[in-house]
Amino acid sequence: MSIQSIVAILIASMISVDAFGDDNWPQFRGQGGLGIGSGNPPTEWDVQTGQNVSWKTQIPGLGHSAPIAWGDRVFVTTAVNSETDKPSVETGWSGGAGESAKDDGDWTWQVVCLDLGTGKIRWTKDAQVGKPTIKRHLKASHANCTPATDGEFVVAFFGSEGLYCFDFDGQLIWKHDFGKLQSGPYDAPELEWGFASSPIIHNGLVIVQCDCLNTNFVSILDLKTGKEIRRIDREGEVATWSTPLVVTTEDRQQIVCNGYRQMAGYDLKTGNRLWYFKGGGDVPVPTPLFANGLIYLTNGHGRSPMFAIPSMAAGDLTPSDNASENSGLAWWQSRDGSYMPTPLVIGKRLYTCNDSGRLAVRDAMTGDLIYRERIGRESHTYSASAVAASGHIYFVSEHGETTVIEEGSVFKKVAINDLGHVVMATPAISGNRLLIRTVRHLYCLARPPAN
């Protein structure tokens, strides 16, 4: 090969990396877990006519993990059942019973890599095969956890079935077994709902939050080897389905964990607890957020409180009805939070859409209400978290209907788009592409290239 050819290849590779650099969506809710993309995805599409539908790819099995994207690749996880190619999944409140799904046969837990440009599957790797250690909720899957990547490795977590690390070619690098992670309601331990906390990658570390009925901890592992470096005890916590967050400020790096009995921040290097408080809602799901120097938390399927915590907080921050005793919190509200979807912070506004589709927009610095409005139809429920880009916010209901609104202090609906299929997974944004996963397919929505 000539020197000119080698130079051309190197230049092309550099252009490729630069072209994709700002478009990566490496974990649940993208960069920093903020749910904000850098590009300009379409606000309207039509699956019947193909308007702004770049591609559609069937994903075998059932998985509620969100897609992630890096460079020219997309990754998802799934669980394939040996008895049926269409495992059952419920929507809405499922009668409020909280029952487990009745599945037969074995399952195969898989990591799938697709081409971002075409939607073609590049490779599929089996991580585990067998009968699930615990059952899943009627609305859940056995592949709820969103994978994470740093551009070299892809980490996939399947709860009791293990934590796996692959390279970009699909080669298994390592796996880690945490044993049985019993996930279900604290007041009905006979029910099994499945695991859902996603892994995150930070500076060569893999961080997982394992709040369960039989064990409670945060594990920090080496990304290259899978060796556990540190385990942080969260004794006394109950099952949590929230993804942790690393908050980096000038004076500290901390891991922030949502919880019912223990919302807390831990020093990343030592594992020491920096701050904590009680008084949240039960069955915590939303991941923490960090913006404007504040950490935002919400949880619970009952009253669903909301909290804003200064990044340098310390000690017991448990709120009191006496406002003068809440100096450790920037602000808090006893309700108006979210049970399932994680909120968005855009500028100085906090957007919180609950599972019933009620949107509350507040001043992110004070908690003052700006407006309330319903998103979508009253009959629709929401499990996926909202994402945003280029001044627009996308809310996807379990029925597959996406409501797009403008950012701002006044409610302005831009479009309503119906995929016609059940959606449980949070969308991803890669540049000008919006990736939405239904229970059977992965859609890439993008405007056609200009002539």
Side-chain angles (χ1 to χ4, degrees), residues 84-407:
T84 177
D85 59 355
K86 293 183 178 180
S88 65
V89 61
E90 299 289 337
T91 59
W93 286 98
S94 303
E99 296 177 355
S100 303
K102 295 178 174 60
D103 298 317
D104 295 320
D106 291 340
W107 292 79
T108 301
W109 287 263
Q110 298 180 335
V111 179
V112 182
C113 174
L114 302 91
D115 186 279
L116 177 61
T118 66
K120 293 182 178 180
I121 294 178
R122 290 190 173 194
W123 52 258
T124 299
K125 297 297 179 180
D126 295 349
Q128 172 74 350
V129 179
K131 297 193 180 301
T133 304
I134 66 170
K135 298 177 182 178
R136 63 184 176 95
H137 190 279
L138 289 169
K139 294 179 65 172
S141 73
H142 284 300
N144 300 313
C145 309
T146 297
T149 183
D150 69 339
E152 182 178 1
F153 301 103
V154 179
V155 177
F157 198 15
F158 297 106
S160 300
E161 317 309 327
L163 176 68
Y164 299 83
C165 179
F166 295 86
D167 66 17
F168 261 41
D169 293 323
Q171 179 181 349
L172 179 65
I173 304 302
W174 53 262
K175 60 181 179 180
H176 192 99
D177 184 7
F178 291 106
K180 183 177 181 179
L181 299 175
Q182 185 179 351
S183 301
Y186 69 97
D187 55 352
E190 71 278 5
L191 297 177
E192 296 179 344
W193 286 356
F195 196 84
S197 180
S198 300
I200 60 173
I201 294 175
H202 177 77
N203 290 346
L205 302 174
V206 180
I207 302 170
V208 294
Q209 180 176 346
C210 300
D211 287 346
C212 305
L213 299 183
N214 60 328
T215 186
N216 316 98
F217 61 89
V218 173
S219 178
I220 304 174
L221 306 96
D222 185 278
L223 174 59
K224 292 184 177 180
T225 66
K227 179 182 179 181
E228 188 172 60
I229 297 172
R230 183 172 299 106
R231 182 171 289 202
I232 301 172
D233 183 23
R234 281 175 54 81
E235 183 179 1
E237 189 52 87
V238 296
T240 300
W241 290 264
S242 172
T243 296
L245 173 71
V246 173
V247 173
T248 300
T249 54
E250 184 177 347
D251 298 316
R252 61 165 62 162
Q253 279 192 314
Q254 58 182 305
I255 303 172
V256 179
C257 296
N258 205 345
Y260 175 32
R261 297 173 180 166
Q262 195 175 167
M263 290 167 279
Y266 304 91
D267 186 275
L268 178 63
K269 293 183 179 180
T270 66
N272 293 335
R273 191 171 67 179
L274 301 170
W275 56 265
Y276 68 95
F277 61 96
K278 304 176 182 179
D282 61 347
V283 192
V285 177
T287 191
L289 290 169
F290 178 63
N292 303 311
L294 298 176
I295 298 164
Y296 299 90
L297 286 169
T298 183
N299 51 30
H301 71 295
R303 60 189 181 90
S304 297
M306 292 207 67
F307 308 92
I309 306 106
S311 62
M312 293 303 295
D316 186 353
L317 308 179
T318 302
S320 168
D321 292 336
N322 184 345
S324 64
E325 297 179 7
N326 295 323
S327 58
L329 295 172
W331 59 264
W332 77 287
Q333 296 286 338
S334 62
R335 55 187 68 247
D336 235 10
S338 173
Y339 169 29
M340 292 293 291
T342 298
L344 276 169
V345 178
I346 304 174
K348 295 295 192 295
R349 285 183 288 269
L350 173 65
Y351 298 80
T352 306
C353 180
N354 67 15
D355 52 304
S356 297
R358 186 179 68 170
L359 173 65
V361 180
R362 292 183 176 275
D363 185 301
M365 307 306 294
T366 66
D368 294 339
L369 182 67
I370 298 174
Y371 72 78
R372 283 194 189 97
E373 191 67 53
R374 176 166 294 281
I375 295 291
R377 308 180 194 182
E378 290 189 12
S379 59
H380 285 196
T381 49
Y382 291 75
S383 288
S385 300
V387 295
S390 192
H392 297 109
I393 307 176
Y394 302 78
F395 301 88
V396 188
S397 76
E398 292 180 355
H399 289 72
E401 188 174 89
T402 302
T403 302
V404 185
I405 71 168
E406 282 190 4
E407 298 175 16

